[in-house]
Each structure stands twice: as structure tokens, then as C-alpha cells.
Amino acid sequence: MAFPSHFLFLMFFTIFNIYRINSLPEEPYLTLDYYSSSCPSAQSIIRSEMECAVLSDPRNAAKILRLHFHDCFVQGCDGSVLLDDTITLEGEKKASPNVNSIDGFKLVDRIKNKLESECPGVVSCADLLTIAARDAVLLVGGPYWDVPVGRKDSKSASLTLAETNLPSANQDLVSLIAKFLYQGLSVTDMVALAGAHTIGMARCENFRERIYGDFPFTAEMTSFTETYLDSLKSICSDINKGDDNNIAAMDYFSANLFDNSFFQILLRGEGLLNSDQEMYSSLLGVQTRHLVQLYAEDPIAFFQQFSDSMVKMGNISNPDSFSDGEVRKNCRFVNT
């Protein structure tokens, strides 16, 4: 049987990247007890601030988790996403995947100020964000995992890499897989990490193409589904009428609870984002479809894989930050 050329390319790309990833040396610099002597209260300070933030607004959990993801996919997990633009540095916040999509910077500032009061110049912003993302998930019902720490903050950022490395809401499955493989993350990691969309919201601009496109072809279109689609169209017009920033939950069943209902929604063909629904509905998604079914049926399997994949993503490094990095006093600016 002859395979389509794009399928053969995907197979080759996958095999090549698996070989490349497996041949990479292990990074020994991150440890669980890195701050045990220098700042033993670091984790409890971060947890306490996150508890207050999530209690006041559950959406803060999704904001911090998304910040961590957008940080790690650009230069590795080095806090570069937190940097503001200056005369001498162009940050990543204005990149198209980031502008109007990432938030939580004031919360990071608040946590950093607490850490600096307790342990000046010790805890990096990159570590802060990685630990806070774990706590964010835990505080809305998700799993716990140990976070290896010892990252340094970068002195640079990359608007270009933010434009090219971050997945977008309307990408096809092959492109999505390629972006995760480039980061050393497998297809299994990709599907599990997409489960983070069980919390948080999406902007109309990011789901307009989906609800006016193939939504009726992937969903069963029961009376409930028709009502749901109508409600989405009521907040997001088919052409931009100033409603780009209107939002909807990516998991309409339990938007503020970290669970596996997101995958159950994909099984019904009702995913809000094209990129999410592609994992189940794409003709090329043999492996991803199986994983969506698994996580929809087995929340324990989802929680375990999500935890493992978050550690793996959190270990994506920026070699430059370890040779020439720093611990920023203010997460928005490089130390002077």
C-alpha cells in the first residue's frame, strides 16, 4: 500500500527526532533540594501566594500555567517570557501568540517580592514560575509532582522564537506534533499537556474559525450541541465586529476544575479550538486519537502522564542561562 508523501515525511521526522532526543545528554543541574539551605521557605511562600490568588480568582491558575508553557517553548524554561521591552531588549510579550493571550505578570511580581524579602537574590524567576505552575494545577484539583529546581534567568528574550515556536489555535496536527518534537516532547507529551485546556478560557479570535468551520462536521450536533454552538456564535461573530477579546471556556463542563472532561468533550467532537479537536478528529491522528480516548476514560492515567510531561517540559533548558544567567531581582528586567 502506498503512503501519502506527507505521511512518510511525518514518519521520518518522528523517527529522526526520537533518535535526536534519546541521544541528548541528561542535564544534572536541576535538583529537588536546590533551595533547602539557601531558601528553605521558597516553596511554601509560592504556595501561599498561589492559594490566595486562586481563591480570589480561579482563572489565575490557568494564567500561571499558560505563562510557564509559553516560557518553556521559547529558549527553554528561563523566565524570558516575563521580560518587559526596554531600549536595549525586545521582549516576547508582543509576539502574536502572546499578545492578549498571556497574563498573570502582576501575580508573578507579588510572589517575587515575597521571595526577595525572605531570600534576596536566591530564587530565580524561572524556578518561581515552574513551581507556581505546579501549585496552580494542584489548587484546582489536579495532580501533584515534585519540581526539580536550580534554573537561572536568561538575560535575553526572543520575539522571533515566540512567533515561530509556540503552537497556534488553528494549526493542523502535523504542525503541532513537529513543534512539540522540536522541544524534545513526544506525541504522548503533547496530548497530555493539551489537557491543561481543561482550565482556562480562549479568545473569540482563536475559536472563530472553528465554530464557523468544521465544528458541525466533527460534533454529533445533538440539541445540546446546537445550543452550545449557538451560544458560542452569540459571543463571537463570523467576522470581527470588535468581539475578538470575548472569551469562552475551553472546557464548558468544568472550566475551573482540573479534570479529564476536556478529553470527553473532544470525543464528542465539541473541542473549542481546531488544534485541540485535531488530536481526535484528524485522519492522521491514529496515536493521538487513542490517547484522547485513554485520558477521557482514565483520569488517573491522564494525571500521571500530565505530571510526567510537565516535569519533562520544565526541564527544557537554555544552555546560555546556565553559563551566563542570573537570578533577577525583578522578573520584568535584567539585573543592572
Side-chain angles (χ1 to χ4, degrees):
M1 181 178 64
F3 290 95
S5 59
H6 62 273
F7 182 75
L8 292 173
F9 170 78
L10 178 59
M11 289 178 61
F12 171 80
F13 190 88
T14 302
I15 293 170
F16 171 79
N17 277 278
I18 289 174
Y19 173 81
R20 182 179 66 87
I21 292 162
N22 289 336
S23 64
L24 289 175
E26 292 187 3
E27 306 277 7
Y29 43 75
L30 300 180
T31 63
L32 297 179
D33 60 353
Y34 187 83
Y35 296 115
S36 60
S37 298
S38 59
C39 191
S41 59
Q43 299 240 8
S44 61
I45 290 172
I46 296 171
R47 173 70 62 83
S48 177
E49 291 301 313
M50 285 302 301
E51 284 177 350
C52 293
V54 173
L55 184 63
S56 66
D57 182 0
R59 288 184 60 196
N60 280 323
K63 291 175 182 178
I64 291 297
L65 184 56
R66 182 177 293 181
L67 262 185
H68 178 48
F69 179 92
H70 283 230
D71 183 35
C72 291
F73 265 56
V74 181
Q75 298 189 167
C77 309
D78 61 357
S80 62
V81 73
L82 303 173
L83 289 168
D84 283 351
D85 287 353
T86 66
I87 295 175
T88 58
L89 185 145
E90 183 178 46
E92 299 163 13
K93 295 179 180 179
K94 293 180 181 178
S96 55
N98 286 338
V99 66
N100 299 319
S101 293
I102 54 174
D103 200 352
F105 300 106
K106 291 182 180 179
L107 174 53
V108 171
D109 292 340
R110 187 159 66 245
I111 298 173
K112 181 61 174 173
N113 288 338
K114 292 281 186 178
L115 289 169
E116 286 297 303
S117 296
E118 182 73 17
C119 313
V122 174
V123 182
S124 68
C125 299
D127 276 346
L128 180 168
L129 191 54
T130 309
I131 297 168
R134 186 273 312 279
D135 291 344
V137 171
L138 186 66
L139 289 165
V140 290
Y144 173 91
W145 61 91
D146 290 321
V147 178
V149 288
R151 299 165 187 80
K152 296 300 184 196
D153 297 321
S154 70
K155 297 178 181 178
S156 66
S158 178
L159 183 72
T160 300
L161 289 180
E163 293 281 2
T164 57
N165 285 10
L166 290 164
S168 66
N170 291 307
Q171 281 194 306
D172 61 82
L173 185 62
V174 173
S175 298
L176 287 170
I177 290 173
K179 288 195 172 184
F180 277 79
L181 288 173
Y182 181 78
Q183 300 295 339
L185 298 169
S186 68
V187 173
T188 301
D189 294 320
M190 182 189 77
V191 178
L193 291 171
H197 288 171
T198 189
I199 56 175
M201 315 292 279
R203 296 170 61 244
C204 162
E205 181 181 31
N206 289 325
F207 63 82
R208 176 181 286 120
E209 183 175 319
R210 165 79 174 137
I211 64 174
Y212 291 100
D214 66 352
F215 191 104
F217 300 102
T218 61
E220 296 178 3
M221 295 312 292
T222 62
S223 58
F224 170 82
T225 308
E226 290 177 356
T227 301
Y228 172 53
L229 183 57
D230 287 342
S231 70
L232 291 173
K233 290 181 176 180
S234 71
I235 63 174
C236 186
S237 58
D238 58 344
I239 55 175
N240 182 14
K241 296 180 179 178
D243 54 9
D244 271 2
N245 289 324
N246 289 353
I247 57 176
M250 289 180 280
D251 177 353
Y252 62 72
F253 185 75
S254 53
N256 294 323
L257 179 65
F258 196 98
D259 57 18
N260 68 330
S261 58
F262 165 78
F263 294 105
Q264 295 166 2
I265 291 171
L266 297 186
L267 291 186
R268 294 192 289 271
E270 298 170 359
L272 184 63
L273 304 180
N274 271 322
S275 56
D276 288 339
Q277 193 59 50
E278 276 273 295
M279 294 188 300
Y280 184 72
S281 299
S282 172
L283 295 176
L284 297 175
V286 177
Q287 182 181 359
T288 57
R289 188 178 306 115
H290 166 74
L291 290 167
V292 169
Q293 290 172 327
L294 172 64
Y295 299 149
E297 296 166 2
D298 189 345
I300 295 176
F302 166 49
F303 275 26
Q304 181 60 61
Q305 186 58 57
F306 184 83
S307 299
D308 292 345
S309 296
M310 284 295 291
V311 172
K312 189 174 177 181
M313 184 183 77
N315 288 348
I316 299 173
S317 65
N318 177 353
D320 291 340
S321 72
F322 282 92
S323 61
D324 190 37
E326 62 182 9
V327 174
R328 290 186 216 134
K329 298 176 183 177
N330 183 326
C331 292
R332 294 175 181 265
F333 304 103
V334 173
N335 294 339
T336 55

